[in-house]
């Protein structure tokens, strides 16, 4: 009977969505099925192969990691590992695994499964390393050896102390995939995901929906919801219309202009949560005008960031000063202030650099994880640059196409590109995007080719420092240098938001920007 009910339920969702059904304001989505309006189509459901929070919001409901972040914090707590110890020298992490857990395909979760997952990412000689690429394997590059003393114990030996190790294990890149699924599907495992999470994968209809069903045998207790349907609705106005008409139950990343509409309507609930986010513009420091630091500083002075935050983003963010978001209070340098809006100083710097007029190619995305209002933001930035003599030609792309353009690097293509990151540790963003060895052709995300030996040294020392005060000192020193070098236009730190219908209960936003739906209910 349960199987028949589930089949009927998915049939109802499929027929309604396939027909382009948009219910009236009085209509309701299927009972006990949560419909989530996403900002884009996922790239893959293989947690080791993706980088976007849009994908991660689905993945954390399909998979578990050894650890996860404690509700409402970025602090690691037990998940598939029930406990762990760290050696005094910070080089050995021993995890004791939870017993009796199985993957959704019925195969056992054990120490060998953990070892398989991490060696798949890290070992070029692993038989399934070619199922990648694994763009965030950087997170675990400090691992020297993984051993399994018994079925329920796994030991990570590091090459050197690495302070963010537990934080990175709690990030979606640390989620554990069924080894048998990888062996069966190879590179296509991202279309056939198998984890141990609170929900199981059912279907993925491209550009229409991803459907997950309740895992009745979940080790941490079965969810209340029968199913979750993630719908990619890339156009913000369409997402708003769907939310208002009853076509979706949850909407993430509400455009700032529309927040008041939902806040004033008692049939909706609005949620806001601060977190470590940065919205910025990558500058091509390798070639063209932005190879000159004076030009990079000039565009930072040329952009009216306060106007962007207050008018375009409607006060849902703060002006940014550098690559470490203020949400990491212990590591953020409060003495580094945002570049003020000073178009005259911008013009003077451009004149000094001999670049009083220039044509620039500016990549802008139509939407994407943490990108807020990317088209209006890009247009406003374009207008401010024009006021100081810089002609920025906008080229806009759908999110996944945009990433395919930007992530391999801007050389020979563009002078500047929008970008946003939501991170779990102050190490993540600068280490993966501003380090000399993090160039795109070496697996990193330094798409603007920024390089400063002193910054490299500080970042390397910070990730090896196990004392938080020492780490903080190193990050704060790096922020001073990066602010002066201006490899990016530092724009905004966002306060995330979401809206649900009044029928949804138990919903909350997390500082990690993820969506944990296990405890969500729907009346």
């Amino acid at each position: 009977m349960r199987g028949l009910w589930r089949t009927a339920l998915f049939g109802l969702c499929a027929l309604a969505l396939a027909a382009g059904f948009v219910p009236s304001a009085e209509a309701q989505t299927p009972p006990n099925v949560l419909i989530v309006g996403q900002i884009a189509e996922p790239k893959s459901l293989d947690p080791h192969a993706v980088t976007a929070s849009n994908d991660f919001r689905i993945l954390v409901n399909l998979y578990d990691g050894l650890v996860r972040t404690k509700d409402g914090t970025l602090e690691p707590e037990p998940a598939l590992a029930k406990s762990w110890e760290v050696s005094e020298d910070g080089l050995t992490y021993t995890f004791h695994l939870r017993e009796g857990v199985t993957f959704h395909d019925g195969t056992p979760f054990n120490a060998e499964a953990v070892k398989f997952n991490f060696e798949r990412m890290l070992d070029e000689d692993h038989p399934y390393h070619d199922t990648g690429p694994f763009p965030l394997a950087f997170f675990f590059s400090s691992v020297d050896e993984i051993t399994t003393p018994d079925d329920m114990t796994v030991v990570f030996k590091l090459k050197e102390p690495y302070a963010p190790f537990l934080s990175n294990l709690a990030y979606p890149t640390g989620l554990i995939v069924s080894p048998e699924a990888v062996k069966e599907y190879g590179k296509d495992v991202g279309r056939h995901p198998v984890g141990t999470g609170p929900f199981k994968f059912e279907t993925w209809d491209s550009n229409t929906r991803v459907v997950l069903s309740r895992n009745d045998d979940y080790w941490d207790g079965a969810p209340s919801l029968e199913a979750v349907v993630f719908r990619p609705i890339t156009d913000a106005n369409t997402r708003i219309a769907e939310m208002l008409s009853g076509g979706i139950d949850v909407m993430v990343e509400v455009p700032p202009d529309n927040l008041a509409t939902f806040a004033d309507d008692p049939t909706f609930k609005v949620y806001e949560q601060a977190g470590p986010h940065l919205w910025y513009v990558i500058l091509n420091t390798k070639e063209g005008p932005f190879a000159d630091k004076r030009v990079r500083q000039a565009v930072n002075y040329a952009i009216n960031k306060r106007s962007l935050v207050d008018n375009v983003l409607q006060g849902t963010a703060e002006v940014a000063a550098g690559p470490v978001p203020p949400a990491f209070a212990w590591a953020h340098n409060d003495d580094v202030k945002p570049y003020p809006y000073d178009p005259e100083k911008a013009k003077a710097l451009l004149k000094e650099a001999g670049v009083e007029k220039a044509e620039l190619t500016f990549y802008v995305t139509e939407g994407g994880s943490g990108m807020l209002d990317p088209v209006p933001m890009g247009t406003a930035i374009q207008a401010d640059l024009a006021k100081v003599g810089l002609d920025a030609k906008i080229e806009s792309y759908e999110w996944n196409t945009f990433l395919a353009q930007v992530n391999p690097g801007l050389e020979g293509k563009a002078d500047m590109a929008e970008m946003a990151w939501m991170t779990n540790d102050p190490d993540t963003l600068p280490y993966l995007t501003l380090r000399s060895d993090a160039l795109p052709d070496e697996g990193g995300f330094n798409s603007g080719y920024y390089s400063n030996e002193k910054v490299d040294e500080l970042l390397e020392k910070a990730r090896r420092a196990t004392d938080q005060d020492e780490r903080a000192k190193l990050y704060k020193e790096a922020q001073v240098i990066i602010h002066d070098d201006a490899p990016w236009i530092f724009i905004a730190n966002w306060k995330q938001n979401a809206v649900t219908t009044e029928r949804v209960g138990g919903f909350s936003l997390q500082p990690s920007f993820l969506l944990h739906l296990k405890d969500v209910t729907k009346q």
Side-chain angles (χ1 to χ4, degrees):
M1 289 298 294
R2 184 172 187 79
L4 290 172
W5 162 243
R6 179 172 293 156
T7 300
L9 193 59
F10 292 151
L12 173 61
C13 294
L15 287 172
L17 295 172
F21 172 66
V22 179
S24 68
E26 293 76 25
Q28 295 181 340
T29 50
N32 213 30
V33 176
L34 192 74
I35 313 295
V36 181
Q38 288 267 84
I39 58 177
E41 171 83 344
K43 180 179 180 181
S44 170
L45 297 180
D46 177 352
H48 305 152
V50 294
T51 63
S53 291
N54 183 70
D55 300 12
F56 291 160
R57 290 180 180 124
I58 302 175
L59 295 171
V60 292
N61 294 287
L62 282 167
Y63 302 92
D64 297 301
L66 293 176
V67 299
R68 62 190 179 191
T69 52
K70 188 176 180 180
D71 185 46
T73 76
L74 292 171
E75 178 186 343
E77 69 170 9
L80 290 176
K82 60 186 180 182
S83 64
W84 62 85
E85 297 99 34
V86 183
S87 63
E88 288 188 12
D89 60 8
L91 293 176
T92 304
Y93 288 70
T94 303
F95 293 90
H96 305 284
L97 306 184
R98 202 171 295 278
E99 298 178 352
V101 178
T102 59
F103 290 102
H104 300 152
D105 58 9
T107 58
F109 164 75
N110 53 30
E112 284 300 326
V114 175
K115 182 177 181 179
F116 178 98
N117 271 256
F118 288 94
E119 290 187 345
R120 174 192 175 216
M121 284 189 280
L122 298 171
D123 182 1
E124 293 183 359
D125 295 325
H126 189 273
Y128 294 95
H129 184 73
D130 62 358
T131 57
F134 308 113
L136 296 182
F138 264 121
F139 280 3
F140 308 111
S141 59
S142 62
V143 174
D144 185 42
E145 183 184 15
I146 304 171
T147 57
T148 55
D150 57 60
D151 277 356
M152 292 292 108
T153 307
V154 62
V155 179
F156 290 82
K157 293 184 178 179
L158 309 187
K159 302 168 188 173
E160 57 193 8
Y162 178 45
F165 187 61
L166 283 174
S167 294
N168 287 352
L169 285 175
Y171 201 68
T173 309
L175 295 170
I176 305 298
V177 180
S178 164
E180 294 306 313
V182 174
K183 293 173 185 177
E184 179 177 356
Y185 297 109
K187 282 183 173 290
D188 291 333
V189 71
R191 299 290 301 202
H192 305 275
V194 180
T196 60
F199 294 92
K200 301 178 180 181
F201 174 72
E202 292 289 339
T203 61
W204 177 358
D205 297 328
S206 296
N207 300 307
T208 303
R209 64 191 169 275
V210 173
V211 180
L212 314 183
S213 66
R214 178 168 60 208
N215 178 7
D216 292 311
D217 300 318
Y218 186 50
W219 61 267
D220 200 20
S224 169
L225 295 166
E226 182 78 12
V228 180
V229 179
F230 292 90
R231 292 184 54 195
I233 308 172
T234 56
D235 179 71
N237 291 328
T238 304
R239 285 201 308 279
I240 295 293
E242 288 273 20
M243 195 74 212
L244 291 171
S245 65
I248 56 179
D249 302 305
V250 178
M251 176 181 174
V252 295
E253 301 192 27
V254 183
D257 284 343
N258 301 103
L259 270 179
T261 300
F262 294 109
D264 295 338
D265 188 333
T267 64
F268 297 101
K269 302 177 190 176
V270 173
Y271 301 80
E272 293 183 299
Q273 166 74 54
H277 168 277
L278 177 65
W279 200 106
Y280 59 101
V281 177
I282 304 168
L283 302 178
N284 184 344
T285 68
K286 187 173 187 177
E287 59 188 5
F290 296 127
D292 190 320
K293 182 172 79 170
R294 293 169 296 183
V295 181
R296 301 196 298 269
Q297 291 177 334
V299 293
N300 270 280
Y301 285 116
I303 305 304
N304 190 340
K305 304 173 196 70
R306 175 52 59 189
S307 177
L308 288 174
V309 164
D310 290 346
N311 299 322
V312 180
L313 301 182
Q314 301 290 305
T316 60
E318 292 296 333
V319 175
V324 176
F328 297 119
W330 62 273
H332 181 260
N333 191 336
D334 293 332
D335 293 331
V336 175
K337 303 299 182 184
Y339 278 84
Y341 177 52
D342 192 340
E344 293 308 313
K345 185 161 188 173
K347 290 178 183 178
L349 283 167
L350 291 172
K351 183 176 182 179
E352 183 181 322
V355 188
E356 293 182 79
K357 291 188 180 297
E359 288 191 0
L360 307 170
T361 299
F362 182 17
Y363 283 173
V364 170
T365 180
E366 295 168 0
S369 299
M371 293 306 303
L372 313 183
D373 265 5
V375 175
M377 292 281 279
T379 303
I381 290 169
Q382 179 188 47
D384 280 346
L385 293 177
K387 292 174 185 175
V388 299
L390 300 176
D391 181 13
K393 305 290 186 183
I394 288 178
E395 293 184 15
S396 59
Y397 299 93
E398 173 273 332
W399 177 236
N400 287 320
T401 305
F402 176 83
L403 292 178
Q405 288 284 96
V406 175
N407 286 348
L410 300 183
E411 183 180 8
K413 297 184 293 187
D415 300 286
M416 50 198 295
E418 295 180 339
M419 188 50 66
W421 274 70
M422 283 101 69
T423 71
N424 64 316
D425 190 277
D427 169 81
T428 307
L429 182 58
Y431 194 82
L432 292 183
T433 61
L434 291 173
R435 194 169 42 92
S436 301
D437 289 341
L439 298 176
D441 60 1
E442 297 179 35
F445 295 88
N446 188 350
S447 299
Y449 317 100
Y450 172 67
S451 180
N452 184 302
E453 289 184 3
K454 182 60 177 177
V455 170
D456 295 343
E457 177 187 340
L458 291 167
L459 294 178
E460 291 290 352
K461 285 183 177 179
R463 61 177 9 211
R464 291 196 297 268
T466 54
D467 178 76
Q468 189 175 88
D469 290 341
E470 177 63 18
R471 286 187 77 199
K473 179 182 176 182
L474 295 164
Y475 287 130
K476 289 177 180 181
E477 186 177 348
Q479 287 168 68
V480 173
I481 300 170
I482 293 167
H483 179 271
D484 180 65
D485 280 346
W488 302 336
I489 307 174
F490 308 106
I491 302 290
N493 301 119
W494 174 57
K495 183 164 64 175
Q496 64 172 318
N497 61 53
V499 62
T500 72
T501 66
E502 61 180 348
R503 301 172 66 205
V504 176
F507 180 88
S508 63
L509 290 172
Q510 299 294 327
S512 62
F513 295 90
L514 304 175
L515 288 183
H516 294 285
L517 302 177
K518 172 188 169 290
D519 297 324
V520 171
T521 62
K522 182 175 170 184
Q523 296 177 0

